[in-house]
Amino acid sequence: MELIDNLKNVEENIAKACEKAGRNRDEITLIAVSKTKPVEMLQTIYDQNIRDFGENKVQEMCDKIEVLPDDIRWHMIGHLQTNKVKYIVGKTALIHSVDSLHLAKEIEKQAAKKDVTVSILVEVNIAEEESKFGIRKEETMELIRQIAELPHLHIEGLMTIAPFVENPEDNREYFRQIRQLSVDIKAQNIDNVSMDILSMGMTGDYMVAIEEGATMVRVGTGIFGERNYNI
C-alpha cells in the first residue's frame, strides 16, 4: 500500500540521517502532518505505530480528535488565532506556533480556566520571510523571558518553518542558527524554560534538519502525498 511504503521510506531516511549525524533514532519524533487528509488515512498510519500527528487548523484537529484513538499526541503546527485557543487547550500534546506574548497570554488564560499546563514551542521566523509567521531571531530571548512568567505554560523549545527550497542544503544554515539560538537560550537557565525540542524540517529537508539537531520533524507530503486544497 502506497501510504505504508511512503512511511517506510521516511523512516529509512530518518535512520540514514541519524547515522550520518551520529545520533540515536530515539532522539527524533516523526510528526505525521495530516492536514486536509481523511481520518481513514490517519488510521492507516496510526496502525503503523505512529502516535504523533500535526494539524494546521483548529476545527479540523477537533473533528479528528473526536473520532480517532485517544492515545494520539496532537500537535498544533499552524498559525493559531487567539479566538480559537479555547478549543484546543488541554487537547494538544504541544503547540508549536506561539509567536507573540498576546497569544501566549490567551493560552495562559484558557489553561488556568481548565487547570492544565500547556506545553509550547516558540516559533522563530529564522529566514525573516514576509509570508511566514514567527518572530525574528533577535526578539526570541525577550519573548521567552516574558512567556516564562506565565504559570500555566511551559516552553519546551523552538520551532521554525524554513524556506521552501529545491535543494535542502540551502536550509542547513537556518537549521544551524535555530540550533545555536536554542543553545544560547538554554545557557540562560530561565525558570520554566527547557530547550529539549527543536521542531524543524519538513518533507523537503527533514534529513538535513536531523543532521543539524532537529528533535521533531513534520512530514506531510512525504507520507500522505500531495495535499488536497479543495476540501
Side-chain angles (χ1 to χ4, degrees), residues 190-208:
I190 305 165
D191 280 349
N192 198 25
V193 176
S194 60
M195 282 286 130
D196 297 335
I197 296 176
L198 280 182
S199 170
M200 59 187 194
M202 292 157 63
T203 292
D205 54 19
Y206 63 89
M207 292 178 77
V208 171

Side-chain angles (χ1 to χ4, degrees), residues 129-214:
E129 291 182 279
E130 299 257 326
S131 61
K132 297 244 171 84
F133 293 103
I135 58 161
R136 293 169 62 236
K137 184 168 92 169
E138 297 73 28
E139 298 166 345
T140 308
M141 191 79 78
E142 177 60 25
L143 179 62
I144 281 178
R145 287 187 185 283
Q146 291 171 325
I147 296 174
E149 302 287 324
L150 303 173
H152 293 85
L153 270 63
H154 182 64
I155 300 171
E156 306 268 359
L158 304 176
M159 181 268 235
T160 199
I161 300 173
F164 181 77
V165 290
E166 292 296 323
N167 180 0
E169 285 297 328
D170 294 345
N171 280 337
R172 191 178 290 276
E173 180 54 36
Y174 294 126
F175 295 143
R176 276 192 186 144
Q177 286 183 43
I178 285 283
R179 164 81 186 177
Q180 187 55 51
L181 180 59
S182 79
V183 169
D184 295 345
I185 293 165
K186 189 172 186 174
Q188 299 292 312
N189 285 321
I190 305 165
D191 280 349
N192 198 25
V193 176
S194 60
M195 282 286 130
D196 297 335
I197 296 176
L198 280 182
S199 170
M200 59 187 194
M202 292 157 63
T203 292
D205 54 19
Y206 63 89
M207 292 178 77
V208 171
I210 288 167
E211 288 167 25
E212 294 303 332

